Amino acid sequence: VRDRAVDVDGSLAAALEAQPRYGDPETEGVIFETIAEVSLVGGLGGGAAVLATALDELPAKYAYVVLQATEMGIPFYEALGFKRVGVVAQHSNTDDSRFEHGFDATRETKVYRLRKRLRGLLRHLSKIDANKVFQEPVDANLVTDYLDVVAEPMDFGKMRRKLVAGEYGSLDAFLKDHALIWQNCTTYNPPGNPWHGAALLFRDRCQRVVDAWRRDHPDLATFNAAAAPVDATRLARAADADADVMGLCVWSFPDTPVADQYPCYMMALDLKARRGAPKSGLRGWLDRAVPASPTPEVDPKRVVAKRAAAAASWHAAWPRGVVPRGRGFAAKFGAGGNSNYLGYFDDRAAAAEAYAKAAEEYATKHGAVETQAPCSSLDGRAWLRELRGRREALLAAEPAPPPVARRLCRAPEHAEAAEKNDVYVRAAKRRNVNQTKLYEAVVVIEDLAPNHNGGPAPYWFVHQYVPDMKWCRLVKLEADGKFDAGKRAGRTRWTLVEEGQARELDLSATRCVVVRSAMTVRTDDADDEVFDVED
């Protein structure tokens, strides 16, 4: 996706990074009050008109919108003004002190190491509080005289927030706040009170952890980062050298290491620009002094050529589809809005070779990969303006009557296809009452829209399944001849429809009914799998 709309100069990423934030990354998360987030399912499922309306009506306090996109979703969001931005995260919670990929022993590197190790220390100390007594501040509404006795309240949540904000410049400053936690408890609860004894026991257990930390990190135990200013650029460079810092990946699997996954595509939109906020300085004065001229037509060929040139210049030493992940490299080949994750490799050359092989196979089947043309903006489209106007009229009108049942809305010409699908659903329900496994299963869909009922049977393959959201992504199956040997001889072979030839469906798992089926090839790539549907 180097050829798509990208925040090349980093200005959008810098603006996002500069937004105020607060919160605790170990519990409720870090909260950016000026940044809204769009759900991928909500965006793609709602369509351009719904999403554009939602962006129009976001409260004024939001200055930016972000989202995590798939390769297929990038053009959709790009047409609404979103750009891809870079985002990294420290995925590992280990205390591994190895720094690779260009380690540089600067003072800022030591500051970065101190902050990272203090986060690890805080996690260990917090776990000692097994009953979660010290995780949140004491509620002064319940303990009404607490603030009369305790001058400086402290809890683990507040310490995490201060740590994220970079307020601890030394171990001593960190331990001073930590000591307040148990000291406040013993101050408010006199000797003989059970809470007084529990606080002293907590103190002793924590002290053993702190002593071990001092032994493991003797250079950091006496280091004072607050003694001199910290250079932000060098601090960021220190983070780049940490193998635990890598591209953000929010779609992950618990049994797969984070490094063995390709980073997500984060896209962002500047709402101030979308709302037409007046510019400041000379640029703003010129915009107000000179009458606005019509927006020139975009020449797709020029944009394609410009993006191709930019893609060739960005990180020239890195081949397409290869990114550093931890202490290795991940490779992914994408074309035509689809992608194929190629795996995790110990060295860059092996990852590049895997990408080159995938590109060669694609070129043999479909031709060379071409730079994609830009997506034109949707905001000025007449149909979108019309939909917005209709929505405003509907909001001003009386409430609409309740919708009739889905079945009654089907047109007569679709009744036969709908009834045919119902036969398969009823049969599957009868035979698979207790079947709950959905990932990589073959299913039929309740109340399937008539325009998806093509083919001899409406079978779908569950390509993705998110249990906690009860959400599935389904790929259509099509008949591909007959099995010609063995016990399956004469039965229909089913394969996935070729990419780009049929729409994939995102819908609730509650509408999916599993049918009996078997994978006959047992390949790692679902595109090459052949299914025997036994129902």
Side-chain angles (χ1 to χ4, degrees), residues 260-322:
D260 189 11
Q261 299 174 55
Y262 208 79
C264 297
Y265 301 118
M266 181 174 178
M267 303 189 74
L269 174 67
D270 185 344
L271 284 175
K272 302 188 303 299
R274 178 184 178 85
R275 293 167 180 151
K279 301 182 180 66
S280 59
L282 178 61
R283 180 69 266 172
W285 181 85
L286 289 172
D287 286 348
R288 291 187 293 273
V290 180
S293 57
T295 303
E297 290 292 329
V298 176
D299 182 358
K301 292 183 179 179
R302 288 186 61 188
V303 176
V304 166
K306 183 177 180 181
R307 286 182 176 175
S313 65
W314 300 338
H315 306 289
W318 289 92
R320 283 173 174 263
V322 177

Side-chain angles (χ1 to χ4, degrees), residues 24 27-28 129 132-143 146-147 150 152-161 181 184:
D24 179 355
T27 54
E28 81 272 17
D129 179 25
K132 309 297 182 184
V133 176
F134 302 125
Q135 299 300 314
E136 299 294 335
V138 173
D139 189 343
N141 292 321
L142 297 176
V143 188
Y146 185 78
L147 297 180
V150 173
E152 189 176 356
M154 185 57 61
D155 58 85
F156 279 117
K158 185 175 181 179
M159 288 189 67
R160 291 191 193 98
R161 290 189 285 272
I181 292 178
N184 289 343

Side-chain angles (χ1 to χ4, degrees), residues 441-520:
V442 175
V443 301
V444 289
I445 307 170
E446 282 194 271
D447 288 325
L448 183 65
N451 57 313
H452 293 301
N453 274 328
Y459 295 130
W460 299 80
F461 173 73
V462 181
H463 178 54
Q464 295 178 8
Y465 174 50
V466 184
D468 56 347
M469 295 176 60
K470 300 296 183 184
W471 169 83
C472 291
R473 168 163 286 179
L474 308 180
V475 181
K476 180 77 173 175
L477 292 179
E478 63 179 355
D480 185 20
K482 304 284 186 179
F483 289 100
D484 56 7
K487 64 180 182 180
R488 305 183 193 278
R491 295 178 59 81
T492 302
R493 290 163 42 98
W494 295 91
T495 59
L496 269 64
V497 172
E498 187 175 351
E499 290 181 357
Q501 300 302 310
R503 177 186 173 191
E504 297 179 0
L505 296 185
D506 291 312
L507 46 75
S508 169
T510 59
R511 291 177 55 196
C512 298
V513 183
V514 176
V515 300
R516 293 183 298 184
S517 63
M519 297 183 183
T520 63

